[in-house]
Amino acid sequence: MKINKKKITIRFYAELNDFLPQQKRKKRFVHTFIDRTSVKDLIESLGVPHTEVDLILVNGKSVSFRYLITDGDDISVYPVFESLDISDVQHLRPKPLRNPKFICDVHLGKLTKNLRMFGFDVYYKNDLSDEMIVEISLTEKRTILTRDVGLLKRSEVTHGYYVRNDDPEKQTAEVLQRFHLHRLIKPFTICLDCGNKLVRVAKKDIIELLPGNVRQHQNKFFYCVSCKKIYWAGSHFNNMKKLIKTYLILFNK
């Protein structure tokens, strides 16, 4: 019995091409199918997570993820638009979360510390399953940061981002730029170890906990009420200040 295959043409734009094999990037290509399926399932079968998509045009008209593809359709898939006004068409991504909070997968420990250094609320544990990450993301309204495309393809995920770089410093710059966080930076307000807020503490209240050289030379201290860690303006503090300054220079270029 001969099976009649159907065809659509499709093109992905801008950074969505990161998920495609080289021969399908930045060009319109033909895709064959047998059974009708949703455009969301089609897009994810080609490797692109739905969390990265903000607009789909089929034959020039905006459609939802539920649209069932039809033989001969011409499909264009776009990421989030930063400068182009598409208010008259159907956005597919949920509105950005008002207060940016994140949850990182188990492979992004260094990125977690860097974002906390900038003052951002990032949930991280090195033993979280995908199910736990999704549950925490939904319950606490956190955006998932991950290097696992499969995690972002889970149907329950509403806010997620695939981190392109594998170098932690480049990852940090990427996330700061992607979510326009540079105006929200509040350095040294979050504990790097547990992610809870730091409070200013008087030297006299913690002096018995300080190493001798720190007692002698430091006078400004911050304290984490959760994990009891104490921070002071030593060499590590100064190195972090230099790193923050470097990122801010990059933003202002």
Side-chain angles (χ1 to χ4, degrees):
M1 179 178 175
K2 185 177 181 181
I3 298 176
N4 292 322
K5 290 187 177 181
K6 302 168 186 177
K7 296 180 181 180
I8 57 97
T9 54
I10 187 168
R11 176 169 177 171
F12 292 86
Y13 287 85
E15 62 264 28
L16 298 183
N17 285 277
D18 294 345
F19 300 97
L20 301 177
Q22 194 65 43
Q23 67 272 20
K24 293 182 178 179
R25 293 180 181 178
K26 299 180 180 179
K27 64 176 68 174
R28 198 163 295 277
F29 59 89
V30 174
H31 178 78
T32 59
F33 66 100
I34 299 173
D35 297 320
R36 292 186 73 186
T37 187
S38 70
V39 71
K40 174 179 177 289
D41 288 343
L42 165 69
I43 287 169
E44 293 204 318
S45 73
L46 292 170
V48 179
H50 69 275
T51 54
E52 299 278 331
V53 176
D54 197 28
L55 173 66
I56 302 171
L57 299 181
V58 177
N59 306 322
K61 294 182 179 180
S62 174
V63 301
S64 74
F65 280 129
R66 296 186 301 274
Y67 174 84
L68 297 178
I69 61 173
T70 301
D71 189 26
D73 277 345
D74 182 67
I75 302 172
S76 298
V77 188
Y78 298 88
V80 177
F81 288 85
E82 302 299 347
S83 57
L84 183 63
D85 182 7
I86 60 168
S87 56
D88 292 335
V89 297
Q90 179 164 300
H91 284 269
L92 298 174
R93 287 169 52 83
K95 291 182 179 179
L97 298 175
R98 182 169 297 176
N99 298 312
K101 298 192 299 181
F102 303 96
I103 179 168
C104 285
D105 72 19
V106 297
H107 305 292
L108 297 177
K110 178 61 175 174
L111 172 62
T112 296
K113 285 202 170 187
N114 285 351
L115 290 176
R116 287 174 177 172
M117 178 182 68
F118 283 97
F120 296 107
D121 183 347
V122 185
Y123 190 103
Y124 176 83
K125 288 185 178 178
N126 61 9
D127 58 353
L128 291 178
S129 66
D130 287 357
E131 290 76 15
M132 294 169 66
I133 290 174
V134 174
E135 181 179 351
I136 294 168
S137 168
L138 295 174
T139 303
E140 300 186 11
K141 293 183 170 57
R142 294 179 179 272
T143 297
I144 297 172
L145 301 178
T146 181
R147 291 272 295 158
D148 179 3
V149 175
L151 176 56
L152 296 181
K153 289 183 179 181
R154 297 175 72 102
S155 60
E156 319 95 281
V157 176
T158 60
H159 293 82
Y161 176 69
Y162 175 73
V163 180
R164 271 66 167 177
N165 286 287
D166 54 13
D167 174 77
E169 308 309 328
K170 291 180 180 178
Q171 288 173 348
T172 305
E174 177 185 342
V175 171
L176 292 174
Q177 290 174 326
R178 171 62 181 77
F179 292 94
H180 308 284
L181 299 177
H182 57 291
R183 297 185 185 278
L184 302 176
I185 290 174
K186 295 179 180 178
F188 316 119
T189 57
I190 299 290
C191 177
L192 302 185
D193 285 354
C194 72
N196 284 284
K197 288 187 177 181
L198 299 177
V199 296
R200 185 76 183 267
V201 62
K203 184 176 182 177
K204 62 182 178 60
D205 294 333
I206 56 168
I207 194 164
E208 297 301 324
L209 303 175
L210 301 175
N213 61 325
V214 175
R215 285 188 211 178
Q216 185 176 356
H217 298 291
Q218 303 297 333
N219 293 298
K220 187 176 181 180
F221 298 92
F222 295 91
Y223 180 70
C224 176
V225 295
S226 178
C227 72
K228 316 303 182 187
K229 184 171 181 178
I230 301 169
Y231 292 83
W232 57 85
S235 58
H236 185 55
F237 181 90
N238 292 327
N239 290 336
M240 289 193 295
K241 283 178 67 175
K242 291 178 183 178
L243 181 60
I244 290 171
K245 185 176 180 180
T246 298
Y247 281 122
L248 292 178
I249 291 173
L250 289 173
F251 276 122
N252 291 325
K253 282 186 177 181

